[in-house]
Amino acid sequence: KYPVMFRAADLMVLSKTDLLPYLEDFSPVRAEQNLHNLANDAEVIAVSSKDSSGLNAWIAWLHAEIANYKQLVATHQTLRPKVQEDGQKLHAQVATPKFVPVKPNSVHP
């Protein structure tokens, strides 16, 4: 549903995995395949708050991201979002349109 968001994602968290036995139409494997089909090699972490599985992995990922960010700040660098070529084209500068007055009752091809 949101391919641009998933193309730029650094991580995909599958939450509420304790409900998977009751969701016949959702497949975590298929979700991960769809993510990677969008040319994104982001990590996938399955999390359940009911039995806390995956929470340590997610917290470790967050701590690693914070450490990476602090290192970038210390070296006066910035984060660059992962925007793929088709997304870059959407944000490219476009020439300003030129509006031309139209005479009443004129026919345009």
Side-chain angles (χ1 to χ4, degrees):
K1 187 173 179 180
Y2 304 105
V4 174
M5 176 179 67
F6 285 100
R7 283 185 185 153
D10 296 319
L11 173 72
M12 181 169 75
V13 176
L14 295 177
S15 63
K16 302 180 183 181
T17 56
D18 48 289
L19 297 176
L20 287 173
Y22 308 103
L23 302 172
E24 296 175 5
D25 59 339
F26 182 79
S27 164
V29 173
R30 195 170 63 234
E32 187 170 352
Q33 287 172 342
N34 289 336
L35 173 71
H36 296 309
N37 288 343
L38 290 170
N40 190 335
D41 60 352
E43 185 179 351
V44 178
I45 298 177
V47 175
S48 169
S49 60
K50 189 172 184 177
D51 65 7
S52 71
S53 63
L55 287 176
N56 287 338
W58 187 22
I59 292 168
W61 185 89
L62 290 170
H63 283 293
E65 287 297 302
I66 291 168
N68 289 338
Y69 180 72
K70 285 181 178 180
Q71 187 176 16
L72 287 173
V73 169
T75 58
H76 303 290
Q77 297 179 24
T78 60
L79 293 173
R80 301 284 301 166
K82 290 194 282 185
V83 179
Q84 296 182 345
E85 189 175 326
D86 55 345
Q88 290 173 356
K89 289 178 186 175
L90 291 173
H91 297 283
Q93 289 186 348
V94 211
T96 307
K98 182 179 178 183
F99 295 98
V100 179
V102 178
K103 295 178 185 177
N105 299 327
S106 63
V107 179
H108 296 285

